[in-house]
Amino acid sequence: MAWFALILAGMFEIVGVSLINQFNLKRNWYSLAFIVLGFGVSFFLLSFSMKTIPMGTAYAIWTGIGTVGSAIIGIMFYGESNDWKRMLFIAMVLGSVIGLKLVS
């Protein structure tokens, strides 16, 4: 259950980061409210998962999921670069997250 909560926390972090980008494009109260909600749920789930998963592992995986997911959202919806060097380093972050899961 803790690992599921951690993965879900990472996904809500992606939502929060994506909403920050949206807020920068259209500044309104709805976007700000959803940012707070997205990160609030994310932190709650991260806190829940840290009851059984060590802090360093949980935080690294949470940020890794958020980093990779946000980069993919940026490429898919905001026209950010997807050159091979960027994809290589995103793959390295993803590989590190999977490695942490395997050794934990």
XYZ file of all heavy atoms in Angstrom:
808
model
N 0.822 -1.207 0.000
C 0.000 0.000 0.000
C 0.856 1.257 0.000
O 0.520 2.241 -0.634
C -0.923 -0.038 1.227
C -1.953 1.038 1.257
S -3.139 0.781 -0.072
C -4.148 2.200 0.137
N 1.992 1.205 0.725
C 2.864 2.380 0.796
C 3.463 2.704 -0.569
O 3.580 3.880 -0.942
C 3.953 2.150 1.822
N 3.836 1.672 -1.311
C 4.415 1.920 -2.639
C 3.365 2.495 -3.591
O 3.668 3.376 -4.399
C 5.016 0.629 -3.204
C 6.332 0.325 -2.554
C 6.568 -0.587 -1.570
C 7.576 0.979 -2.806
N 7.882 -0.548 -1.209
C 8.539 0.397 -1.948
C 7.981 1.986 -3.677
C 9.863 0.798 -1.934
C 9.313 2.379 -3.666
C 10.232 1.793 -2.799
N 2.147 2.002 -3.495
C 1.066 2.555 -4.318
C 0.837 4.025 -3.968
O 0.684 4.869 -4.858
C -0.220 1.741 -4.110
C -1.386 2.272 -4.882
C -1.465 2.135 -6.256
C -2.423 2.928 -4.220
C -2.540 2.644 -6.969
C -3.506 3.435 -4.918
C -3.562 3.295 -6.298
N 0.837 4.342 -2.674
C 0.663 5.741 -2.245
C 1.810 6.609 -2.742
O 1.601 7.755 -3.157
C 0.556 5.808 -0.722
N 3.029 6.053 -2.731
C 4.182 6.827 -3.204
C 4.087 7.115 -4.699
O 4.359 8.240 -5.144
C 5.475 6.070 -2.883
C 6.769 6.773 -3.260
C 6.878 8.121 -2.566
C 7.957 5.888 -2.916
N 3.690 6.133 -5.464
C 3.534 6.342 -6.916
C 2.428 7.358 -7.176
O 2.574 8.262 -8.008
C 3.257 4.999 -7.624
C 4.514 4.127 -7.570
C 2.815 5.220 -9.060
C 4.303 2.690 -7.985
N 1.337 7.238 -6.435
C 0.238 8.200 -6.574
C 0.692 9.611 -6.164
O 0.326 10.608 -6.802
C -0.944 7.744 -5.743
C -2.325 8.207 -6.152
C -2.623 7.850 -7.599
C -3.370 7.613 -5.248
N 1.510 9.692 -5.117
C 2.056 10.989 -4.693
C 2.880 11.615 -5.809
O 2.802 12.826 -6.066
C 2.900 10.817 -3.435
N 3.681 10.790 -6.480
C 4.480 11.287 -7.605
C 3.608 11.792 -8.740
O 3.906 12.808 -9.374
N 2.504 11.093 -8.986
C 1.597 11.525 -10.054
C 0.920 12.854 -9.702
O 0.739 13.702 -10.573
C 0.570 10.433 -10.326
C 1.179 9.225 -10.968
S -0.067 7.981 -11.307
C 0.908 6.800 -12.197
N 0.570 13.027 -8.432
C -0.021 14.310 -8.035
C 1.021 15.419 -8.068
O 0.680 16.577 -8.297
C -0.686 14.211 -6.658
C -2.109 13.755 -6.728
C -2.434 12.440 -6.466
C -3.123 14.635 -7.080
C -3.745 12.005 -6.550
C -4.436 14.216 -7.162
C -4.749 12.893 -6.893
N 2.286 15.082 -7.875
C 3.329 16.079 -8.038
C 3.403 16.529 -9.499
O 3.560 17.720 -9.788
C 4.685 15.546 -7.586
C 5.743 16.651 -7.619
C 7.150 16.136 -7.492
O 7.366 14.926 -7.597
O 8.039 16.982 -7.330
N 3.260 15.589 -10.406
C 3.247 15.931 -11.836
C 2.087 16.882 -12.123
O 2.247 17.878 -12.833
C 3.117 14.656 -12.700
C 4.345 13.780 -12.537
C 2.900 15.022 -14.164
C 4.174 12.384 -13.113
N 0.930 16.589 -11.537
C -0.235 17.465 -11.714
C 0.074 18.867 -11.189
O -0.194 19.872 -11.851
C -1.478 16.868 -11.009
C -2.617 17.870 -10.968
C -1.909 15.588 -11.688
N 0.664 18.932 -9.986
C 0.985 20.230 -9.399
C 1.964 21.024 -10.249
O 1.759 22.220 -10.495
N 3.006 20.364 -10.724
C 4.012 21.058 -11.548
C 3.390 21.516 -12.868
O 3.640 22.631 -13.328
C 5.235 20.143 -11.786
C 6.161 20.731 -12.822
C 5.964 19.901 -10.480
N 2.575 20.662 -13.462
C 1.916 21.042 -14.713
C 0.993 22.237 -14.506
O 0.896 23.117 -15.364
C 1.108 19.869 -15.266
O 1.952 18.779 -15.541
N 0.334 22.273 -13.351
C -0.562 23.390 -13.066
C 0.207 24.682 -12.796
O -0.305 25.771 -13.067
C -1.479 23.043 -11.897
C -2.535 21.994 -12.230
C -3.265 21.559 -10.973
C -3.509 22.521 -13.261
N 1.432 24.581 -12.290
C 2.252 25.787 -12.145
C 2.510 26.385 -13.520
O 2.405 27.603 -13.719
C 3.587 25.464 -11.432
C 3.345 25.158 -9.962
C 4.564 26.633 -11.570
C 4.585 24.674 -9.233
N 2.844 25.521 -14.480
C 3.068 26.014 -15.844
C 1.792 26.638 -16.399
O 1.830 27.703 -17.020
C 3.543 24.865 -16.736
C 4.154 25.355 -18.014
O 4.744 26.439 -18.036
N 4.039 24.582 -19.067
N 0.661 26.005 -16.151
C -0.616 26.543 -16.616
C -0.930 27.871 -15.923
O -1.426 28.809 -16.552
C -1.732 25.521 -16.342
C -3.031 25.842 -16.994
C -2.947 25.776 -18.508
O -2.159 25.030 -19.077
N -3.740 26.581 -19.167
N -0.611 27.959 -14.645
C -0.832 29.197 -13.893
C 0.006 30.336 -14.455
O -0.445 31.482 -14.524
C -0.511 28.988 -12.407
C -0.705 30.207 -11.564
C -1.980 30.649 -11.248
C 0.378 30.923 -11.089
C -2.177 31.775 -10.467
C 0.204 32.048 -10.311
C -1.079 32.485 -9.996
N 1.222 30.030 -14.890
C 2.070 31.064 -15.481
C 1.519 31.563 -16.812
O 1.764 32.699 -17.201
C 3.498 30.553 -15.661
C 4.222 30.461 -14.342
O 3.934 31.205 -13.405
N 5.169 29.539 -14.247
N 0.787 30.698 -17.502
C 0.188 31.113 -18.773
C -1.087 31.920 -18.561
O -1.318 32.921 -19.240
C -0.113 29.883 -19.640
C 1.100 29.057 -20.078
C 0.640 27.796 -20.797
C 2.016 29.881 -20.962
N -1.959 31.436 -17.659
C -3.226 32.118 -17.370
C -3.351 32.271 -15.867
O -3.693 31.331 -15.172
C -4.415 31.290 -17.866
C -4.498 31.120 -19.342
C -5.790 30.446 -19.720
C -5.560 28.965 -19.854
N -6.756 28.225 -20.218
N -3.062 33.433 -15.369
C -3.099 33.643 -13.915
C -4.556 33.828 -13.478
O -5.186 34.831 -13.810
C -2.274 34.856 -13.532
C -0.809 34.633 -13.754
C 0.011 35.734 -13.161
N 1.418 35.435 -13.320
C 2.164 34.873 -12.382
N 1.646 34.571 -11.227
N 3.437 34.623 -12.605
N -5.062 32.814 -12.756
C -6.389 32.933 -12.167
C -6.444 32.123 -10.875
O -5.566 31.314 -10.593
C -7.480 32.504 -13.157
C -7.287 31.086 -13.623
O -6.922 30.215 -12.847
N -7.529 30.849 -14.901
N -7.479 32.354 -10.093
C -7.596 31.714 -8.782
C -7.846 30.219 -8.884
O -7.443 29.454 -8.023
C -8.708 32.381 -7.970
C -8.292 33.735 -7.502
C -8.696 34.939 -8.009
C -7.350 34.044 -6.468
N -8.066 35.968 -7.350
C -7.239 35.440 -6.393
C -6.589 33.270 -5.615
C -6.402 36.076 -5.492
C -5.754 33.902 -4.706
C -5.669 35.284 -4.648
N -8.529 29.792 -9.954
C -8.788 28.356 -10.109
C -7.485 27.581 -10.246
O -7.292 26.544 -9.617
C -9.673 28.092 -11.334
C -11.062 28.625 -11.211
C -11.527 29.598 -12.068
C -11.903 28.139 -10.222
C -12.804 30.099 -11.952
C -13.190 28.626 -10.092
C -13.631 29.609 -10.971
O -14.897 30.091 -10.832
N -6.593 28.096 -11.071
C -5.309 27.409 -11.259
C -4.537 27.353 -9.954
O -3.953 26.322 -9.613
C -4.473 28.123 -12.325
O -5.108 28.081 -13.563
N -4.537 28.456 -9.218
C -3.824 28.499 -7.943
C -4.428 27.506 -6.946
O -3.700 26.790 -6.249
C -3.847 29.919 -7.374
C -3.014 30.150 -6.125
C -1.552 29.841 -6.381
C -3.180 31.585 -5.642
N -5.745 27.435 -6.916
C -6.413 26.491 -6.001
C -6.068 25.046 -6.355
O -5.810 24.226 -5.467
C -7.925 26.703 -6.048
N -6.023 24.737 -7.641
C -5.689 23.367 -8.052
C -4.219 23.041 -7.783
O -3.870 21.892 -7.502
C -6.041 23.136 -9.512
C -7.513 22.915 -9.726
C -8.241 23.773 -10.527
C -8.162 21.857 -9.111
C -9.596 23.581 -10.714
C -9.519 21.652 -9.291
C -10.245 22.518 -10.092
N -3.337 24.043 -7.869
C -1.930 23.821 -7.518
C -1.827 23.416 -6.050
O -1.172 22.433 -5.706
C -1.088 25.096 -7.777
C -0.944 25.343 -9.263
C 0.283 24.978 -7.118
C -0.330 26.695 -9.603
N -2.490 24.178 -5.189
C -2.461 23.884 -3.756
C -3.062 22.501 -3.483
O -2.512 21.705 -2.708
C -3.196 24.990 -2.961
C -3.352 24.600 -1.497
C -2.462 26.320 -3.099
N -4.164 22.195 -4.146
C -4.801 20.894 -3.972
C -3.894 19.757 -4.460
O -3.719 18.748 -3.761
C -6.138 20.857 -4.716
C -6.934 19.565 -4.591
C -7.397 19.365 -3.153
C -8.122 19.579 -5.531
N -3.305 19.926 -5.636
C -2.426 18.887 -6.195
C -1.230 18.605 -5.306
O -0.932 17.448 -4.991
N -0.545 19.666 -4.880
C 0.616 19.455 -4.017
C 0.199 18.992 -2.621
O 0.915 18.223 -1.989
C 1.467 20.723 -3.935
C 2.377 20.887 -5.126
C 2.188 21.936 -6.005
C 3.400 20.000 -5.367
C 3.008 22.092 -7.104
C 4.235 20.138 -6.464
C 4.039 21.188 -7.335
N -0.967 19.452 -2.145
C -1.442 19.005 -0.841
C -1.679 17.504 -0.813
O -1.243 16.810 0.111
N -2.357 17.007 -1.826
C -2.607 15.559 -1.912
C -1.278 14.824 -2.064
O -1.045 13.775 -1.441
C -3.566 15.240 -3.082
C -3.656 13.737 -3.313
C -4.936 15.818 -2.821
N -0.388 15.384 -2.875
C 0.913 14.755 -3.086
C 1.697 14.638 -1.778
O 2.231 13.571 -1.455
C 1.710 15.551 -4.117
O 2.964 14.954 -4.335
N 1.767 15.723 -1.017
C 2.501 15.688 0.257
C 1.839 14.748 1.251
O 2.517 14.056 2.007
C 2.623 17.097 0.854
C 3.676 17.924 0.186
C 3.351 19.144 -0.383
C 4.991 17.509 0.142
C 4.308 19.920 -0.996
C 5.964 18.276 -0.466
C 5.628 19.483 -1.038
N 0.517 14.717 1.270
C -0.185 13.803 2.178
C 0.175 12.351 1.857
O 0.490 11.564 2.754
C -1.700 14.022 2.083
C -2.489 13.010 2.860
C -2.588 13.097 4.234
C -3.105 11.948 2.208
C -3.297 12.146 4.953
C -3.808 10.996 2.914
C -3.909 11.097 4.293
N 0.123 11.994 0.570
C 0.438 10.622 0.174
C 1.910 10.303 0.403
O 2.256 9.182 0.795
C 0.053 10.405 -1.292
C -1.450 10.402 -1.563
C -1.724 10.438 -3.066
C -2.099 9.187 -0.937
N 2.795 11.287 0.174
C 4.225 11.078 0.462
C 4.419 10.810 1.945
O 5.154 9.893 2.337
C 5.038 12.296 0.018
C 6.532 12.261 0.352
C 7.221 11.111 -0.376
C 7.183 13.599 0.011
N 3.762 11.590 2.770
C 3.856 11.405 4.223
C 3.358 10.024 4.630
O 3.980 9.341 5.454
C 3.050 12.494 4.925
O 2.988 12.256 6.302
N 2.241 9.597 4.051
C 1.696 8.273 4.346
C 2.679 7.170 3.963
O 2.914 6.226 4.728
C 0.369 8.080 3.604
C -0.210 6.703 3.770
C -0.857 6.347 4.934
C -0.089 5.772 2.754
C -1.380 5.070 5.093
C -0.606 4.498 2.898
C -1.258 4.150 4.066
N 3.294 7.294 2.782
C 4.211 6.251 2.326
C 5.479 6.205 3.177
O 6.079 5.147 3.345
C 4.560 6.452 0.851
O 5.362 7.602 0.683
N 5.879 7.356 3.737
C 7.101 7.402 4.540
C 6.944 6.733 5.899
O 7.921 6.603 6.634
C 7.566 8.859 4.702
C 8.151 9.416 3.420
S 8.547 11.173 3.479
C 9.617 11.268 4.881
N 5.738 6.274 6.226
C 5.566 5.529 7.469
C 6.228 4.155 7.380
O 6.610 3.587 8.389
C 4.081 5.377 7.800
C 3.456 6.683 8.224
C 1.991 6.521 8.546
C 1.419 7.875 8.969
N -0.023 7.821 9.187
N 6.364 3.622 6.158
C 6.997 2.311 6.000
C 8.215 2.340 5.072
O 9.081 1.491 5.184
C 5.996 1.279 5.457
O 5.420 1.765 4.247
C 4.898 0.988 6.456
N 8.283 3.289 4.144
C 9.413 3.385 3.216
C 10.397 4.397 3.793
O 9.988 5.477 4.229
C 8.932 3.828 1.814
C 7.941 2.807 1.257
C 10.114 3.996 0.872
C 7.259 3.234 -0.017
N 11.698 4.093 3.813
C 12.677 5.035 4.347
C 12.607 6.394 3.635
O 12.354 6.457 2.425
C 14.024 4.360 4.080
C 13.716 2.920 3.926
C 12.327 2.842 3.367
N 12.851 7.457 4.402
C 12.706 8.817 3.897
C 13.515 9.066 2.620
O 13.002 9.614 1.641
C 13.143 9.823 4.963
C 13.056 11.260 4.509
S 13.778 12.409 5.688
C 15.509 12.056 5.492
N 14.787 8.690 2.616
C 15.632 8.956 1.450
C 15.120 8.269 0.199
O 15.103 8.854 -0.887
N 14.691 7.031 0.348
C 14.159 6.287 -0.790
C 12.846 6.897 -1.254
O 12.647 7.117 -2.455
C 13.943 4.808 -0.398
O 15.201 4.263 0.031
C 13.396 4.009 -1.552
N 11.955 7.186 -0.325
C 10.646 7.736 -0.687
C 10.802 9.087 -1.386
O 10.177 9.329 -2.422
C 9.763 7.884 0.548
N 11.662 9.937 -0.837
C 11.810 11.265 -1.433
C 12.446 11.178 -2.818
O 12.019 11.864 -3.752
C 12.647 12.166 -0.516
C 12.751 13.567 -1.029
C 11.656 14.415 -1.016
C 13.948 14.036 -1.554
C 11.744 15.695 -1.509
C 14.047 15.318 -2.055
C 12.941 16.151 -2.027
O 13.034 17.416 -2.529
N 13.464 10.326 -2.959
C 14.124 10.184 -4.262
C 13.148 9.663 -5.312
O 13.122 10.154 -6.455
C 15.325 9.258 -4.136
N 12.345 8.690 -4.950
C 11.387 8.135 -5.908
C 10.293 9.159 -6.215
O 9.899 9.335 -7.367
C 10.815 6.807 -5.374
C 11.926 5.756 -5.420
C 9.586 6.371 -6.165
C 11.566 4.426 -4.827
N 9.820 9.855 -5.201
C 8.781 10.881 -5.405
C 9.271 11.968 -6.362
O 8.573 12.324 -7.316
C 8.413 11.476 -4.046
C 7.404 12.552 -4.054
C 6.070 12.438 -4.332
C 7.630 13.934 -3.745
N 5.461 13.671 -4.203
C 6.400 14.592 -3.840
C 8.765 14.658 -3.382
C 6.264 15.958 -3.605
C 8.637 16.008 -3.138
C 7.398 16.639 -3.252
N 10.465 12.470 -6.124
C 10.989 13.511 -7.014
C 11.314 12.953 -8.396
O 11.156 13.644 -9.394
C 12.238 14.182 -6.426
O 13.223 13.200 -6.159
C 11.914 14.960 -5.176
N 11.756 11.694 -8.447
C 12.056 11.086 -9.742
C 10.809 10.947 -10.605
O 10.823 11.283 -11.785
N 9.736 10.468 -9.994
C 8.474 10.346 -10.732
C 8.019 11.724 -11.193
O 7.609 11.908 -12.344
C 7.390 9.667 -9.858
C 7.743 8.207 -9.625
C 6.010 9.790 -10.507
C 6.864 7.515 -8.597
N 8.105 12.707 -10.308
C 7.697 14.062 -10.667
C 8.556 14.651 -11.769
O 8.052 15.300 -12.694
N 9.860 14.413 -11.699
C 10.781 14.951 -12.709
C 10.507 14.346 -14.075
O 10.356 15.064 -15.069
C 12.233 14.677 -12.284
O 12.466 15.261 -11.015
C 13.209 15.217 -13.307
N 10.460 13.033 -14.129
C 10.246 12.354 -15.409
C 8.857 12.678 -15.967
O 8.713 13.008 -17.151
C 10.433 10.827 -15.255
C 9.977 10.085 -16.505
C 11.890 10.510 -14.938
N 7.854 12.614 -15.120
C 6.490 12.902 -15.584
C 6.332 14.337 -16.065
O 5.706 14.576 -17.096
N 6.920 15.261 -15.343
C 6.816 16.665 -15.752
C 7.555 16.910 -17.065
O 7.088 17.681 -17.911
C 7.390 17.570 -14.664
O 6.659 17.418 -13.474
N 8.695 16.257 -17.237
C 9.429 16.401 -18.499
C 8.612 15.847 -19.669
O 8.548 16.461 -20.744
C 10.775 15.688 -18.403
N 7.964 14.704 -19.440
C 7.143 14.114 -20.503
C 5.932 15.004 -20.803
O 5.590 15.209 -21.976
C 6.719 12.681 -20.116
C 7.956 11.776 -20.132
C 5.640 12.152 -21.053
C 7.730 10.397 -19.549
N 5.299 15.552 -19.772
C 4.168 16.464 -19.994
C 4.640 17.696 -20.765
O 3.964 18.172 -21.681
C 3.542 16.882 -18.637
C 2.906 15.685 -17.939
C 2.517 18.021 -18.820
C 1.670 15.128 -18.591
N 5.811 18.210 -20.403
C 6.356 19.372 -21.108
C 6.596 19.086 -22.580
O 6.330 19.933 -23.437
N 7.094 17.899 -22.868
C 7.342 17.521 -24.264
C 6.026 17.349 -25.013
O 5.861 17.840 -26.137
C 8.179 16.217 -24.317
C 9.607 16.495 -23.827
C 8.190 15.631 -25.725
C 10.423 15.241 -23.575
N 5.070 16.654 -24.377
C 3.819 16.334 -25.068
C 2.891 17.533 -25.244
O 2.242 17.671 -26.287
C 3.075 15.233 -24.294
C 3.761 13.884 -24.362
S 2.941 12.630 -23.360
C 1.355 12.528 -24.133
N 2.813 18.407 -24.235
C 1.787 19.447 -24.280
C 2.322 20.869 -24.398
O 1.570 21.779 -24.734
C 0.900 19.352 -23.028
C 0.131 18.077 -22.949
C 0.487 17.088 -22.049
C -0.942 17.852 -23.801
C -0.210 15.897 -21.972
C -1.654 16.667 -23.740
C -1.287 15.689 -22.825
N 3.601 21.094 -24.110
C 4.123 22.456 -24.137
C 5.261 22.644 -25.131
O 5.920 23.676 -25.124
C 4.554 22.870 -22.730
C 3.402 22.901 -21.759
C 3.242 21.921 -20.795
C 2.434 23.900 -21.840
C 2.169 21.935 -19.914
C 1.358 23.932 -20.977
C 1.237 22.939 -20.008
O 0.170 22.972 -19.155
N 5.482 21.669 -25.995
C 6.451 21.812 -27.069
C 7.903 21.910 -26.614
O 8.737 22.478 -27.327
N 8.225 21.337 -25.458
C 9.610 21.377 -24.999
C 10.463 20.400 -25.804
O 9.954 19.469 -26.423
C 9.667 21.042 -23.501
C 8.974 22.089 -22.653
C 9.003 21.754 -21.165
O 9.583 20.727 -20.775
O 8.424 22.545 -20.399
N 11.759 20.623 -25.773
C 12.699 19.827 -26.564
C 12.648 18.349 -26.174
O 12.515 18.004 -25.003
C 14.111 20.359 -26.334
O 15.056 19.477 -26.883
N 12.784 17.497 -27.188
C 12.872 16.052 -26.924
C 14.086 15.465 -27.624
O 14.032 14.352 -28.135
C 11.591 15.335 -27.340
C 11.335 15.422 -28.818
O 11.996 16.182 -29.523
N 10.384 14.666 -29.308
N 15.196 16.221 -27.622
C 16.387 15.690 -28.275
C 16.946 14.504 -27.496
O 16.579 14.264 -26.349
C 17.443 16.778 -28.478
C 18.032 17.281 -27.174
O 17.526 16.913 -26.109
O 19.003 18.065 -27.233
N 17.821 13.745 -28.118
C 18.280 12.475 -27.553
C 19.015 12.655 -26.231
O 18.922 11.790 -25.351
C 19.114 11.707 -28.564
C 20.479 12.298 -28.808
C 20.813 13.223 -29.752
C 21.679 12.021 -28.081
N 22.136 13.537 -29.662
C 22.704 12.799 -28.639
C 21.985 11.188 -27.022
C 24.005 12.786 -28.174
C 23.290 11.163 -26.552
C 24.287 11.950 -27.126
N 19.741 13.764 -26.065
C 20.475 13.956 -24.817
C 19.504 14.138 -23.650
O 19.694 13.580 -22.570
C 21.400 15.170 -24.931
C 22.571 14.945 -25.869
C 23.434 16.163 -25.965
C 22.940 16.946 -27.135
N 23.731 18.128 -27.453
N 18.459 14.894 -23.876
C 17.454 15.093 -22.832
C 16.760 13.774 -22.498
O 16.546 13.448 -21.328
C 16.442 16.139 -23.300
C 15.534 16.610 -22.215
C 14.847 17.906 -22.612
N 14.177 18.452 -21.456
C 12.895 18.772 -21.430
N 12.157 18.639 -22.523
N 12.359 19.257 -20.344
N 16.413 13.029 -23.532
C 15.749 11.746 -23.317
C 16.674 10.770 -22.583
O 16.218 9.985 -21.742
C 15.293 11.153 -24.656
C 14.288 12.030 -25.394
S 12.861 12.501 -24.412
C 11.973 10.981 -24.373
N 17.989 10.833 -22.881
C 18.947 9.970 -22.199
C 18.949 10.243 -20.698
O 18.870 9.311 -19.879
C 20.351 10.177 -22.780
C 21.479 9.453 -22.039
C 21.360 7.944 -22.220
C 22.827 9.951 -22.521
N 18.996 11.518 -20.336
C 19.044 11.839 -18.914
C 17.707 11.582 -18.219
O 17.675 11.214 -17.041
C 19.529 13.280 -18.709
C 20.995 13.417 -19.017
C 21.411 14.145 -20.116
C 21.942 12.798 -18.229
C 22.755 14.260 -20.423
C 23.289 12.900 -18.520
C 23.703 13.631 -19.619
N 16.614 11.753 -18.912
C 15.312 11.378 -18.340
C 15.275 9.864 -18.100
O 14.812 9.406 -17.050
C 14.159 11.837 -19.266
C 14.038 13.364 -19.236
C 12.846 11.177 -18.873
C 13.082 13.930 -20.270
N 15.801 9.096 -19.052
C 15.854 7.638 -18.888
C 16.743 7.259 -17.703
O 16.459 6.302 -16.975
C 16.345 6.978 -20.169
N 17.824 8.015 -17.492
C 18.704 7.735 -16.354
C 17.979 7.988 -15.030
O 18.133 7.221 -14.071
C 19.978 8.577 -16.455
C 20.886 8.128 -17.583
S 22.265 9.237 -17.888
C 23.243 8.994 -16.430
N 17.193 9.059 -14.959
C 16.406 9.322 -13.748
C 15.417 8.194 -13.528
O 15.285 7.674 -12.409
C 15.674 10.686 -13.845
C 14.688 10.853 -12.699
C 16.668 11.830 -13.861
N 14.732 7.787 -14.585
C 13.766 6.691 -14.482
C 14.449 5.394 -14.052
O 13.945 4.665 -13.194
C 13.037 6.502 -15.815
C 11.897 5.510 -15.828
C 10.823 5.923 -14.836
C 11.305 5.403 -17.221
N 15.625 5.113 -14.623
C 16.390 3.925 -14.231
C 16.793 3.971 -12.763
O 16.776 2.948 -12.069
N 17.135 5.160 -12.282
C 17.502 5.312 -10.873
C 16.315 5.048 -9.961
O 16.455 4.419 -8.899
C 18.044 6.724 -10.620
O 19.191 6.941 -11.386
N 15.144 5.522 -10.356
C 13.936 5.277 -9.559
C 13.645 3.782 -9.487
O 13.377 3.236 -8.411
C 12.731 6.054 -10.152
C 11.426 5.576 -9.557
C 12.917 7.541 -9.942
N 13.741 3.118 -10.624
C 13.494 1.672 -10.647
C 14.554 0.949 -9.812
O 14.246 0.029 -9.048
C 13.469 1.154 -12.106
C 12.241 1.721 -12.825
C 13.468 -0.369 -12.146
C 12.230 1.501 -14.323
N 15.803 1.390 -9.912
C 16.865 0.789 -9.113
C 16.629 0.941 -7.621
O 16.852 0.004 -6.854
N 16.184 2.116 -7.198
C 15.888 2.323 -5.779
C 14.778 1.400 -5.304
O 14.814 0.879 -4.190
C 15.509 3.780 -5.524
C 16.677 4.748 -5.403
C 16.168 6.182 -5.369
C 17.484 4.452 -4.162
N 13.775 1.210 -6.153
C 12.683 0.297 -5.788
C 13.214 -1.129 -5.637
O 12.832 -1.843 -4.706
C 11.579 0.351 -6.851
C 10.540 -0.760 -6.761
C 9.711 -0.675 -5.507
C 8.622 -1.732 -5.499
N 8.756 -2.704 -4.463
N 14.112 -1.531 -6.526
C 14.618 -2.898 -6.492
C 15.498 -3.167 -5.273
O 15.504 -4.273 -4.742
C 15.398 -3.202 -7.784
C 14.562 -3.237 -9.060
C 15.453 -3.437 -10.278
C 13.509 -4.326 -8.984
N 16.240 -2.167 -4.809
C 17.131 -2.400 -3.674
C 16.475 -2.099 -2.332
O 17.077 -2.334 -1.289
C 18.445 -1.596 -3.802
C 19.199 -2.031 -5.046
C 18.206 -0.105 -3.791
N 15.269 -1.560 -2.351
C 14.590 -1.220 -1.090
C 13.817 -2.407 -0.551
O 13.383 -3.264 -1.239
C 13.632 -0.060 -1.290
O 14.357 1.094 -1.592
